[in-house]
Amino acid sequence: MAAVPHDACSEPPGKPGGWQIESGGDLAPPPPSAKRPVAPGDPCGFDPTGNFESAVLVNHARQVEVAGWAIDPDTTGPVALRITVGAKVYRVTASVKRPDVAREFPAYGSAHGFHALLDVPADGAAHVWATVLNLGPGHDNRLSTRSLS
């Protein structure tokens, strides 16, 4: 990949991370002042983004069902997430078809949803964290923390 001048990457408002998650999990576009759109494989290597939509205890609180979506601007393919349930760490792939995500990010396609049923540690867990694992330049991105009750 060719080197990119530093100032070309300094303002990435058009990247997926520039999108805002509104209440209810809807996507809101970045402000119209976005100067430079990002295409898959952009050499600036922006951080991944997404939405950790739910974490619900099921099966008599022995498991947690997690769901959401994730995109990394460095690829059009599925991305991995690290889901932490208490002290237990799982790896989940965001590859489930999500037409709503494809409508908002057409260059990336629809295979960016995740849905998994994960075991809760025997000593219980009060929180679940979802972190999108970065591909290429950039950093991992913790989406959010959900409390279990």
Side-chain angles (χ1 to χ4, degrees), residues 73-86:
D74 296 320
T75 183
T76 58
V79 296
L81 292 98
R82 180 176 54 247
I83 308 287
T84 306
V85 182

Side-chain angles (χ1 to χ4, degrees), residues 11-19 29-39 42 46 73 104-105 108:
E11 289 196 35
K15 70 172 185 158
W19 287 71
S33 62
K35 295 180 182 174
R36 188 179 67 75
V38 174
D42 191 304
F46 298 117
E104 299 299 333
F105 302 105
Y108 295 90

Side-chain angles (χ1 to χ4, degrees), residues 78-140:
V79 296
L81 292 98
R82 180 176 54 247
I83 308 287
T84 306
V85 182
K88 235 176 157 173
V89 179
Y90 297 92
R91 187 178 178 107
V92 172
T93 301
S95 60
V96 175
K97 299 235 184 260
R98 290 282 303 258
D100 58 328
V101 174
R103 278 191 299 278
E104 299 299 333
F105 302 105
Y108 295 90
S110 66
H112 293 286
F114 66 91
H115 182 260
L117 195 58
L118 308 172
D119 291 333
V120 173
D123 60 353
H127 297 92
V128 179
W129 296 269
T131 303
V132 186
L133 304 180
N134 183 65
L135 297 168
H139 303 91
D140 294 350

Side-chain angles (χ1 to χ4, degrees), residues 37-93:
V38 174
D42 191 304
C44 292
F46 298 117
D47 297 344
T49 190
N51 187 14
F52 184 19
E53 296 168 334
S54 66
V56 179
L57 285 170
V58 296
N59 299 329
H60 305 288
R62 291 190 304 252
Q63 294 182 306
V64 61
E65 186 174 20
V66 297
W69 61 269
I71 288 177
D72 188 313
D74 296 320
T75 183
T76 58
V79 296
L81 292 98
R82 180 176 54 247
I83 308 287
T84 306
V85 182
K88 235 176 157 173
V89 179
Y90 297 92
R91 187 178 178 107
V92 172
T93 301

